Amino acid sequence: MQTKHSARLRAMAGLLFCAALFIAVAVLLFAQSTDFPPYHQQGRSTDSGVFQYVARVIARGGMPYRDVFDHKGPLLYIINYAALLLGGWGIFAVNILALVFGMGLAWLGLRDIFGSQLGRAAAGFCAAGVFFGLQPYYEGGNLAETYALPLLCLGQWMLLRYYKNNGSRWFEPLLAGLSLGGVLLLRANMAGLYIGLCACMGIRMLRKKQWKDLRRYLLLVPGGMAATFLPFLLWLWRGGALRDFLAQYGSFNAQYTGQFHVWGVLRGAVKVSLSPLLCLAGAFLLLALAHRFLTRRERAAQRDAGYLIPLAVSFAVQAVLANISGMNFLHYNQVLIPCALVPLGMIAARLTTWVRGQGGRPVLAALAVGAIMVTPQTPMLVMAVNNVVTYCSVGYIPWGPAVSDPKEYSALIAAVQAAAAPDEPILVIGNACGIYNSAGRFAASKYAYQFPLWEVDRSIELQVLEDIRATRPKMIVQAKSVFQEPEWYEGHALDQYIHSEYILSQTIGGIDLWLRGDLAASTGQEAAE
């Protein structure tokens, strides 16, 4: 009898996970099809445009950092290069793979942590559901955070196994180190989860005098990181880009994070609350910690809350690091999802156990968990529906990089292509590398985009000026509709040079197209004749 009951529970767990995974992918496709998805934008969004532009530079034999400035990790460009080789739908396919792998690893990790079959089913449903419920965090896709999700879920799973087993096996710190190396090769400030968990684990090992586990982690975590880093460092060294990598990924990022201030982190924390699921997870962590403190003498409470302190610490560290630059883009907090999965899984498991204890059937338990997952996501689903309504009425979503209206964007790209041949460089002032990608052109400067770079290092303006004096691009595009130039820009050296050597040809969708003076004069003369 017990065997049949367990078999039914296992079947229900598999059915729930498969259904949730199907729904997750379906909703993701639905949401991204109306909000500038990567396969529709062809690299138009700001971050995605930069990453795909660097991939195009690699494809023609160039090197990141040496031939184009950017301060993200090299793994991000290799991912985009691989997507470029796959063709037009490559970026979309890579995004879906990252999300599916992330959901799968999250489910496996939570199933490993939760003991009962019902807990596993609830955790699997929770792990799958949380990803598609955070659609605003993807902001068009192809983000460093998206590719970090499966790595973070794997690292958290391996590290939490220490708490489950009160010890470690050799492969756990090794896999944690490999995944940490991957995260650092995407962007360094996404590693707060590892910092928080490893700090708590180290303190616990010292208190319990678990010297073998401590030595294992001190050896294998850095070893896994080194194994991940070594191929990329060798590639950069052979390509003559290692010194530039250290300057941009190291020194420049240190300057960039120097903008850190308390109010910036607080604004980031407010943005976290825009996701009700993350807010729910954070609130549960605080309540569970309070409950553990109040019932600290009860053995059951101690056993039940073994993960809470390290999770709360890693959640806090990750939130601070995600917003440490003082700039608070919503997708920064996407890296908090793995930290939120365990408390959300605990909520689902407790609710399932309670429904079963009241005599409810497994179907009712599944519906209760589904209600917990879906209800907080109502504002996001409403937003997605509004996007569909808007898209059906005007044909596009009135937000986005460069130009929202597809007709205006097509006219912009046609004007750029008419002004410069494929082998002739142009320059886009602002942060709209998608224009290079859509037009099939390359930048006249190593600094293909300048914002927010020149907010950190003002000398970049003069370096861009030197580059365009040397290359004399036929067209300069001022993408003011993407990012307004800083206050100091107007009247400075670069602005003066553009106004003296170039003539404003036309403005499309708020973007100014400047033709080189001699070309504009000859074009006008031909038109007169």
Side-chain angles (χ1 to χ4, degrees), residues 282-350:
F284 176 79
L285 276 173
L286 292 176
L287 290 173
L289 283 171
H291 178 261
R292 179 183 179 180
F293 177 77
L294 294 174
T295 60
R296 58 186 181 278
R297 294 186 179 180
E298 297 179 16
R299 184 175 300 175
Q302 289 290 324
R303 185 183 65 248
D304 218 25
Y307 308 99
L308 295 178
I309 290 179
L311 281 172
V313 172
S314 62
F315 193 97
V317 174
Q318 191 76 289
V320 170
L321 288 183
N323 299 282
I324 199 169
S325 68
M327 303 181 69
N328 308 116
F329 295 108
L330 188 60
H331 63 81
Y332 285 176
N333 294 304
Q334 191 178 345
V335 294
L336 293 172
I337 294 174
C339 300
L341 286 178
V342 174
L344 287 172
M346 288 179 175
I347 293 173
R350 279 168 167 72

Side-chain angles (χ1 to χ4, degrees), residues 16-17 20-21 24 99-111 114 119-134 138 149 153 156 277 337-338 340-346 348 369 373 377:
L16 277 173
F17 177 67
L21 189 63
L99 292 173
V100 169
F101 272 109
M103 286 187 291
L105 287 169
W107 177 65
L108 288 172
L110 289 175
R111 190 185 68 171
F114 289 96
R120 293 175 183 177
F125 186 84
C126 175
V130 71
F131 280 91
F132 77 82
L134 295 171
Y138 295 99
L149 279 176
C153 290
Q156 178 176 262
L277 280 174
I337 294 174
L341 286 178
V342 174
L344 287 172
M346 288 179 175
V369 174
M373 295 302 302
Q377 301 174 44

Side-chain angles (χ1 to χ4, degrees), residues 503-521:
I503 295 175
L504 182 61
S505 172
Q506 56 183 314
T507 300
I508 301 176
I511 292 183
D512 295 335
L513 304 179
W514 296 79
L515 272 178
R516 204 172 66 206
D518 57 331
L519 295 175

Side-chain angles (χ1 to χ4, degrees), residues 68 153 160 218 228 235 259 294 305 329 356 431 477 520:
V68 55
C153 290
L160 287 180
L218 288 176
T228 309
W235 171 59
Q259 301 179 67
L294 294 174
F329 295 108
R356 290 287 294 160
N431 192 334
V477 181

Side-chain angles (χ1 to χ4, degrees), residues 378-407:
T378 303
M380 303 175 194
L381 295 176
V382 170
M383 183 188 69
V385 171
N386 288 336
N387 282 346
V388 172
V389 173
T390 304
Y391 186 84
C392 292
S393 61
V394 300
Y396 62 94
I397 307 297
W399 174 90
V403 180
S404 296
D405 190 330
K407 293 181 180 178

